Amino acid sequence: MTYEDEDGTIKLLPGYKFDPTDEVLVEFYLKRRVFAQRLPVQIIPDFDVFRTEPWYLPGGDGKIFNERKCFFYNTMGRDLENIDKRVAGSGQWRVIEKGKDVPIPENNEVIGKRNTLNFWKVQGACARRTKWVMHEFRLALVENPAKCSKCRWQIGLYTAFLQNKGAKKVMNVKQSNEKSSNT
């Protein structure tokens, strides 16, 4: 199902589609990773998704993101000054939907939480919203993973992709900071 290319990146064989549901991502992949259980295939790599802009994430030259989502585990344990804005390269990821439940369909037990983030490119005093979107998945067992003492609980699973719709919005960074402090 997978192969390793010349730079060591694990890739799926041509024709194999990896498009799991939110429930599968949390229940099968994230939960197993947090509890140090083996996975049959290591498809999802470790990468600090807040280290760079989304178009520089490993796994493609930019155009690959138009075709599918890219998946990453982020094992970086950090105290976030502002949980709703996270600096990444020349911009920031901003939370646009927080704490959506990820239930198991059979019994509606909540097993995870999903945050939706949008990438804003910062240039001088202005920030411009891009079409890059990321979903952050965490196990529901931990209320605040950034302050959790055990590193394993800080593992998050992220999907990054280009959103096909949406108008560009430009905002002054000062206005943006005032707006977030009022809420």
Side-chain angles (χ1 to χ4, degrees):
M1 285 194 322
T2 64
Y3 68 96
E4 204 170 300
D5 67 4
E6 58 274 357
D7 69 349
T9 304
I10 296 174
K11 298 198 177 211
L12 294 172
L13 291 173
Y16 184 85
K17 183 178 179 182
F18 183 69
D19 191 20
T21 63
D22 291 356
E23 297 82 25
V24 169
L25 282 172
V26 173
E27 178 70 17
F28 186 76
Y29 289 95
L30 182 59
K31 188 174 178 183
R32 284 178 179 239
R33 180 65 189 267
V34 167
F35 290 110
Q37 297 173 344
R38 289 187 51 107
L39 288 167
V41 178
Q42 296 295 335
I43 291 176
I44 303 173
D46 287 345
F47 188 76
D48 181 1
V49 294
F50 302 111
R51 185 170 69 183
T52 186
E53 294 90 350
W55 46 89
Y56 292 129
L57 290 171
D61 55 7
K63 66 181 179 185
I64 195 167
F65 293 108
N66 292 325
E67 299 168 13
R68 67 171 191 257
K69 296 177 183 178
C70 288
F71 300 85
F72 303 98
Y73 289 115
N74 192 349
T75 58
M76 299 301 292
R78 67 178 88 208
D79 290 327
L80 300 169
E81 289 179 20
N82 186 342
I83 199 80
D84 293 334
K85 291 183 185 177
R86 303 164 197 188
V87 175
S90 65
Q92 56 188 217
W93 288 99
R94 296 182 185 180
V95 175
I96 56 175
E97 181 182 36
K98 188 186 263 185
K100 182 176 179 187
D101 291 343
V102 179
I104 299 174
E106 294 82 38
N107 60 9
N108 279 342
E109 175 190 354
V110 176
I111 56 169
K113 297 285 184 176
R114 182 183 87 187
N115 292 333
T116 302
L117 298 95
N118 184 251
F119 188 77
W120 288 66
K121 186 169 175 114
V122 177
Q123 295 173 329
C126 291
R128 182 177 50 92
R129 185 174 63 190
T130 68
K131 293 182 180 183
W132 288 95
V133 175
M134 185 164 59
H135 291 158
E136 172 186 58
F137 296 94
R138 299 270 184 195
L139 289 181
L141 305 173
V142 177
E143 288 295 317
N144 190 349
K147 294 188 179 182
C148 190
S149 61
K150 294 191 178 186
C151 182
R152 235 182 244 303
W153 286 105
Q154 295 176 349
I155 296 173
L157 197 150
Y158 294 82
T159 63
F161 56 95
L162 270 174
Q163 190 175 35
N164 292 330
K165 59 181 177 156
K168 293 181 182 177
K169 183 177 182 180
V170 176
M171 183 181 292
N172 182 301
V173 174
K174 187 176 179 181
Q175 291 172 331
S176 170
N177 290 337
E178 289 171 2
K179 193 176 199 180
S180 64
S181 66
N182 291 338
T183 56

